[in-house]
Amino acid sequence: MRRLLALACAILALPPAPAAAAPACLRGVNISGAEFGTVPGRYGFDYLYPSASTISRFAALGLTAMRLPIRWERLQPNLRQPFDPEELGRLETAVSAATQAGLRTVIDLHNYAYYGKARIGTEMVTPEAFADVWRRLAQHFRGDPSVVFGLMNEPHDIPAERWLISANAAIAAIREAGAAHLVLVPGSGWSGAHSWTADLPTGNNAAVMLGVVDPGKNVAYEVHQYLDADYSGTHAECSRGADALQAVERLTGWLAQNGRRAFLGEIGASGRRGCPERLQAVLTHVNANPKQWVGWTVWAAGDLWAPDYPLRLDPAGATAPVVAAIQAAAQAKPSCEP
């Protein structure tokens, strides 16, 4: 009996079991809707978080990640003030549904480096204000290992050196909040893979973004790469699919040379002849280089897309071949490294 009591006491004294390890590899889709519409908008009509059934439909393909675009202004109606409880609740519900389905969630502030009409790095939206929203998100989700922090979607007209200041402030705030999560850091100039080493009007991302500082040493650059003529992802054609693959291959070399990692946050294709194969070729390359790439999420699923949107991911519709290509890439080996 004494031995049993001693054993019971020893068991009670053990620390709680750690949360189940999240999959190291991010292979998934963007599930849009929460970023739609004007602010504040009508929930369920102008904008919508993904339902558990929508999330499960894509998780069933063998995916491991959902990139979840959200609007900063809805989550935090006033800068440096508490989150809106209803909007935070919707975010929590979506993250929980993804976790239950076996997916990690990339929380993506889909604001293009703006809050309303004011750009980050200006007097109205200071780097400290940007750091504040990420401090609050980090405090809220620091106990959830399934979450990844995507700092900002496609900063485009902010100088890279100015953007770097705000990005580093946000990373520091996340670490000060006690969160060790993976942080995804875009460049400026739309953060295109094809233009990463180019001298853009906003600066050279390859040169400037080497200045990213992370006390937690768990960051990756976020880049986007589409296949159409202007790399915008706004057309059904995929005439530059081969060029897109070469751009991603070049970036892989730059990452290896500099000991850095990246995440392909957006890439998409229509169901037109040859396009699913060109998409899969890029994903295959990313999969084959896990030391340089933490993964990818394809654009875009979501229940609010118009039926004729050419990049709308529909397993039973015109983009069924694209979904099949995503499924094949998601299940391919080798898996990503931690």
Side-chain angles (χ1 to χ4, degrees):
M1 180 61 71
R2 290 179 180 177
R3 289 181 179 178
L4 291 174
L5 287 173
L7 179 60
C9 291
I11 292 172
L12 289 173
L14 291 173
C25 178
L26 299 172
R27 294 179 179 175
V29 295
N30 291 263
I31 305 187
S32 292
E35 83 280 25
F36 281 16
T38 57
V39 177
R42 295 164 293 173
Y43 186 72
F45 183 83
D46 297 310
Y47 75 104
L48 183 70
Y49 279 79
S51 65
S53 60
T54 296
I55 291 170
S56 296
R57 185 183 314 131
F58 286 93
L61 300 176
L63 304 182
T64 65
M66 166 183 73
R67 183 171 181 255
L68 179 61
I70 65 172
R71 287 289 287 275
W72 181 2
E73 303 93 336
R74 289 194 180 114
L75 181 63
Q76 190 178 42
N78 297 291
L79 289 174
R80 307 186 79 160
Q81 296 298 315
F83 291 156
D84 177 84
E86 289 188 5
E87 194 70 7
L88 180 60
R90 294 176 183 125
L91 175 59
E92 288 176 330
T93 298
V95 170
S96 178
T99 302
Q100 290 296 318
L103 302 181
R104 296 176 74 181
T105 298
V106 177
I107 298 176
D108 159 49
L109 280 192
H110 210 80
N111 277 71
Y112 304 91
Y114 276 78
Y115 181 92
K117 295 182 179 181
R119 195 183 68 197
I120 292 175
T122 62
E123 185 177 349
M124 293 185 66
V125 189
T126 62
E128 291 76 20
F130 183 55
D132 176 79
V133 68
W134 277 111
R135 179 180 291 105
R136 294 175 190 273
L137 278 165
Q139 288 171 342
H140 193 82
F141 287 103
R142 62 189 171 192
D144 188 345
S146 73
V147 170
V148 174
F149 297 139
L151 290 187
M152 181 57 61
N153 181 72
E154 296 185 351
H156 57 92
D157 62 353
I158 179 172
E161 290 184 354
R162 184 169 294 179
W163 163 243
L164 177 65
I165 294 170
S166 295
N168 278 338
I171 296 168
I174 289 168
R175 301 309 182 211
E176 288 167 3
H181 299 54
L182 173 63
V183 178
L184 305 174
V185 187
S188 191
W190 307 99
S191 203
H194 63 277
S195 60
W196 188 258
T197 60
D199 293 323
L200 303 175
T202 52
N204 188 307
N205 284 323
V208 175
M209 299 309 291
L210 284 174
V212 168
V213 176
D214 176 22
K217 301 187 184 302
N218 191 21
V219 296
Y221 299 116
E222 179 173 335
V223 297
H224 295 175
Q225 185 60 57
Y226 285 97
L227 313 177
D228 49 350
D230 58 1
Y231 294 138
S232 67
T234 58
H235 309 94
E237 53 85 13
C238 55
S239 60
R240 301 199 68 181
D243 295 333
L245 175 58
Q246 291 177 2
V248 172
E249 290 172 341
R250 287 195 301 272
L251 184 52
T252 300
W254 181 88
L255 293 166
Q257 180 181 356
N258 290 280
R260 305 300 173 100
R261 303 183 299 170
F263 168 67
L264 185 59
E266 288 186 21
I267 182 172
S270 72
R272 288 190 180 184
R273 184 177 179 180
C275 293
E277 291 80 5
R278 288 174 177 172
L279 169 72
Q280 190 169 359
V282 175
L283 301 184
T284 297
H285 173 80
V286 171
N287 287 349
N289 292 276
K291 290 184 179 179
Q292 284 74 52
W293 293 93
V294 301
W296 47 263
T297 47
V298 178
W299 189 268
D303 296 329
L304 289 186
W305 288 113
D308 60 349
Y309 176 55
L311 303 189
R312 175 176 178 262
L313 295 174
D314 182 0
T319 54
V322 180
V323 175
I326 294 168
Q327 182 175 18
Q331 298 177 354
K333 294 183 177 181
S335 62
C336 295
E337 295 180 355

